[in-house]
Amino acid sequence: MSGPSKGQVLTRSIEDYLKAIYELEQDGSPAQTSAIAGALDVAPPSVSGMVKRLSEAGLLQHVPYRGVQLTEEGRKAALRMVRRHRVVETYLTTKLGYDWDSVHEEAERLEHAVSDELIERMAMALGSPRYDPHGAPIPSRDGAIEQQSFVALADVPVGDVAELRMVSDKDAERLRFIGSLGLKPGVSFEVLARQPFRGPTTIGLTAAPSKEQVIGHELAESLLCVVVEREVG
Amino acid sequence: MSGPSKGQVLTRSIEDYLKAIYELEQDGSPAQTSAIAGALDVAPPSVSGMVKRLSEAGLLQHVPYRGVQLTEEGRKAALRMVRRHRVVETYLTTKLGYDWDSVHEEAERLEHAVSDELIERMAMALGSPRYDPHGAPIPSRDGAIEQQSFVALADVPVGDVAELRMVSDKDAERLRFIGSLGLKPGVSFEVLARQPFRGPTTIGLTAAPSKEQVIGHELAESLLCVVVEREVG
DNA sequence: TTTGAATTTTAGGCTCTCGTAACTACCGGA
DNA sequence: TCCGGTAGTTACGAGAGCCTAAAATTCAAA
Ligand SMILES: [Mn+2]
Ligand SMILES: [Mn+2]
Ligand SMILES: [Mn+2]
Ligand SMILES: [Mn+2]
């Protein structure tokens, strides 16, 4: 009785694997063993072992040496975890005064301990928010998630006006730094200059035009934006 | 390196054992294997195994065939869990609209996943409450807990006026029933009658004197009260 | 004092999840 | 086509936490 069945009891480990695999799959290709291992901070053989169990449980498909892909059931379970994680982050930030750089760690644990009912009560208390504090979309109860396409700040042409939409929540220090620049989802700015050879980008915040910020290339690659106003030229 | 050391990483299982042992010790004698097994719903040999590990870790003392007692370190860890449990229960009830009969189950999981910081933020948001929704005292951050002495309703003499102070939170159905009688911590009433041979007690709520309630002996033993006004006789 | 029921511990085994070491497959040069 | 580096898998083992069955201990009643 280990095949694909409904109402599985998923352990904390399994939930974290599914969520990590879901996120790795987002860039199109199957999730690879070493990438999963890196995301979860475990050794590659541990991943091979878990992948075997998850594929026997019908949560993913494994092509040896090629990677894994979630099944419909696995994707549903993963999206449930993503919803939990992001609702918890939003609740802690909005209702309990957490900073956006410290919620991820707390949510990483709480996501496994909260009941569906608690998540729905939190979402209700927040007015069913659509985005978490880092700009990531919150899947609906039934697993629908907004698919977005962004441009990294590093790729926004000089002269354009853009709005920051989303930032990875994984690195607390980076979040603190981004925040110290006055940047968070929803803030818009003009791209004033960019140095060649993967050099820094200079932006001017729309809200405080006097304040210019210089942003290194690597950081600019992690700031996901939409272009609001294209330079007339 | 398994002796008494600071900053242990306690698993969920260990935290539940320590909390259960703390609660069993409350009635004066060492906690016994079968009582621990009953409280945690595991088999007695599982308790023996865990007790061995916990005593090697310096969290309790074990006299074979006689029972266990928490060490100072174990008691501190247990009280930390009790605080977490009761703060979470109070938060869920006060801020998220939970009923008092459903918070225990949720808190039983969350107590292991919340950080100290989250507990303090919840307590802050609640104004540092002293009691949980079931009337149980919330230990302070440094492990101080109010010691109370109550009389079971079953032992309050007829004619006295008493106030309900505390109810066990373990049985959801019992809590629902108690609530349906209009009883919760802080409610006061007069004991109107009691039948002999462990028979039912009749009370009249002070707030609604017209409403009389008949309460069976077993239930009356679980309702912990203080006498407010002794019958003049 | 003996005995037997109840309690507790020991013995042995299972699952889950992780690790290290050794082996295998893949793939891009030479 | 071969070769070597990288990535992935298999083999093996450890520890936590649970179980059942069997042995040991306690304690009260006969
Ligand atoms: Mn997690
Ligand atoms: Mn986030
Ligand atoms: Mn618990
Ligand atoms: Mn309680």
Side-chain angles (χ1 to χ4, degrees):
Chain A
M1 182 102 69
S2 69
S5 66
K6 294 296 157 202
Q8 314 226 15
V9 181
L10 305 180
T11 64
R12 175 181 172 159
S13 253
I14 290 175
E15 290 176 338
D16 278 335
Y17 272 90
L18 293 176
K19 188 156 61 80
I21 291 166
Y22 171 82
E23 276 158 14
L24 288 168
E25 271 182 351
Q26 283 312 97
D27 51 23
S29 47
Q32 298 194 290
T33 300
S34 57
I36 301 169
L40 297 174
D41 199 26
V42 297
S46 303
V47 175
S48 285
M50 179 62 89
V51 158
K52 174 173 234 163
R53 290 193 293 274
L54 294 181
S55 109
E56 280 163 3
L59 292 162
L60 52 77
Q61 287 192 303
H62 180 214
V63 181
Y65 292 97
R66 283 296 142 85
V68 299
Q69 275 185 296
L70 295 177
T71 61
E72 191 50 37
E73 190 186 349
R75 208 178 58 89
K76 213 182 135 208
L79 278 163
R80 178 162 162 269
M81 296 313 295
V82 172
R83 174 170 171 81
R84 289 161 166 249
H85 186 99
R86 292 180 184 170
V87 167
V88 167
E89 282 189 347
T90 310
Y91 190 89
L92 294 178
T93 304
T94 306
K95 298 291 187 181
L96 284 163
Y98 270 79
D99 293 323
W100 77 339
D101 59 284
S102 54
V103 282
H104 177 73
E105 189 194 350
E106 191 87 42
E108 199 55 56
R109 278 176 283 105
L110 287 171
E111 62 190 0
H112 311 287
V114 293
S115 66
D116 286 337
E117 158 144 25
L118 179 50
I119 289 300
E120 297 322 314
R121 282 183 187 265
M122 285 180 170
M124 183 94 71
L126 293 165
S128 302
R130 299 172 56 199
Y131 304 99
D132 85 357
H134 313 100
I138 299 177
S140 69
R141 234 169 340 206
D142 48 312
I145 185 167
E146 183 183 324
Q147 288 302 332
Q148 307 158 305
S149 70
F150 295 130
V151 190
L153 170 57
D155 299 323
V156 178
V158 172
D160 283 10
V161 175
E163 183 183 318
L164 179 60
R165 281 294 180 83
M166 191 169 146
V167 181
S168 163
D169 62 6
K170 299 286 193 303
D171 184 340
E173 254 189 90
R174 181 165 56 187
L175 285 173
R176 268 193 297 282
F177 182 69
I178 293 167
S180 77
L181 300 178
L183 289 172
K184 62 181 177 191
V187 167
S188 60
F189 51 83
E190 184 181 349
V191 177
L192 300 174
R194 179 173 299 115
Q195 289 188 21
F197 307 115
R198 306 170 54 85
T201 299
T202 304
I203 63 174
L205 299 195
T206 305
S210 58
K211 208 108 190 273
E212 294 186 5
Q213 301 287 5
V214 181
I215 297 170
H217 183 80
E218 196 177 321
L219 194 59
E221 278 185 315
S222 75
L223 300 176
L224 302 181
C225 311
V226 291
V227 171
V228 170
E229 191 181 315
R230 216 166 287 282
E231 190 195 20
V232 273
Chain B
M1 184 100 70
S2 68
S5 65
K6 294 299 157 197
Q8 315 228 14
V9 182
L10 305 180
T11 65
R12 174 181 172 159
S13 253
I14 290 175
E15 290 177 339
D16 278 336
Y17 272 88
L18 293 176
K19 188 155 62 81
I21 292 166
Y22 171 81
E23 275 157 14
L24 289 167
E25 273 183 349
Q26 284 311 99
D27 52 23
S29 47
Q32 297 196 288
T33 300
S34 56
I36 300 168
L40 297 173
D41 199 27
V42 297
S46 303
V47 175
S48 286
M50 179 60 90
V51 158
K52 175 173 231 163
R53 289 193 293 275
L54 294 181
S55 109
E56 280 163 3
L59 292 162
L60 52 77
Q61 286 192 303
H62 180 215
V63 181
Y65 291 96
R66 284 293 143 84
V68 300
Q69 275 186 296
L70 295 176
T71 60
E72 190 51 38
E73 190 185 350
R75 207 178 59 89
K76 213 181 136 208
L79 278 163
R80 177 161 162 272
M81 296 313 295
V82 172
R83 174 171 171 80
R84 288 162 165 249
H85 186 98
R86 294 181 181 168
V87 167
V88 167
E89 282 190 346
T90 310
Y91 190 89
L92 294 177
T93 303
T94 305
K95 299 291 187 181
L96 284 164
Y98 270 79
D99 293 323
W100 77 337
D101 59 284
S102 55
V103 283
H104 178 73
E105 189 193 351
E106 191 88 42
E108 199 55 59
R109 278 175 283 104
L110 286 171
E111 63 190 0
H112 311 287
V114 293
S115 67
D116 286 337
E117 159 144 26
L118 178 50
I119 289 299
E120 297 322 314
R121 282 184 187 265
M122 284 180 170
M124 185 94 70
L126 293 164
S128 302
R130 298 174 57 198
Y131 304 98
D132 84 358
H134 313 101
I138 298 176
S140 68
R141 231 166 343 197
D142 48 313
I145 184 168
E146 183 184 323
Q147 287 302 331
Q148 308 158 304
S149 70
F150 295 129
V151 189
L153 169 57
D155 299 324
V156 178
V158 172
D160 283 10
V161 174
E163 183 183 317
L164 180 60
R165 281 295 180 81
M166 190 169 148
V167 181
S168 164
D169 62 5
K170 298 286 192 304
D171 185 339
E173 254 189 88
R174 181 163 58 187
L175 285 173
R176 269 194 297 279
F177 182 69
I178 294 168
S180 76
L181 300 178
L183 289 172
K184 62 181 179 190
V187 167
S188 60
F189 50 83
E190 183 180 351
V191 177
L192 301 174
R194 178 174 299 116
Q195 289 188 21
F197 308 114
R198 305 170 55 87
T201 299
T202 304
I203 64 174
L205 299 195
T206 304
S210 57
K211 207 99 188 278
E212 294 187 4
Q213 302 287 4
V214 181
I215 297 170
H217 184 80
E218 197 178 319
L219 194 60
E221 278 186 315
S222 76
L223 300 176
L224 302 181
C225 311
V226 292
V227 172
V228 169
E229 192 182 313
R230 217 166 285 282
E231 191 197 19
V232 271

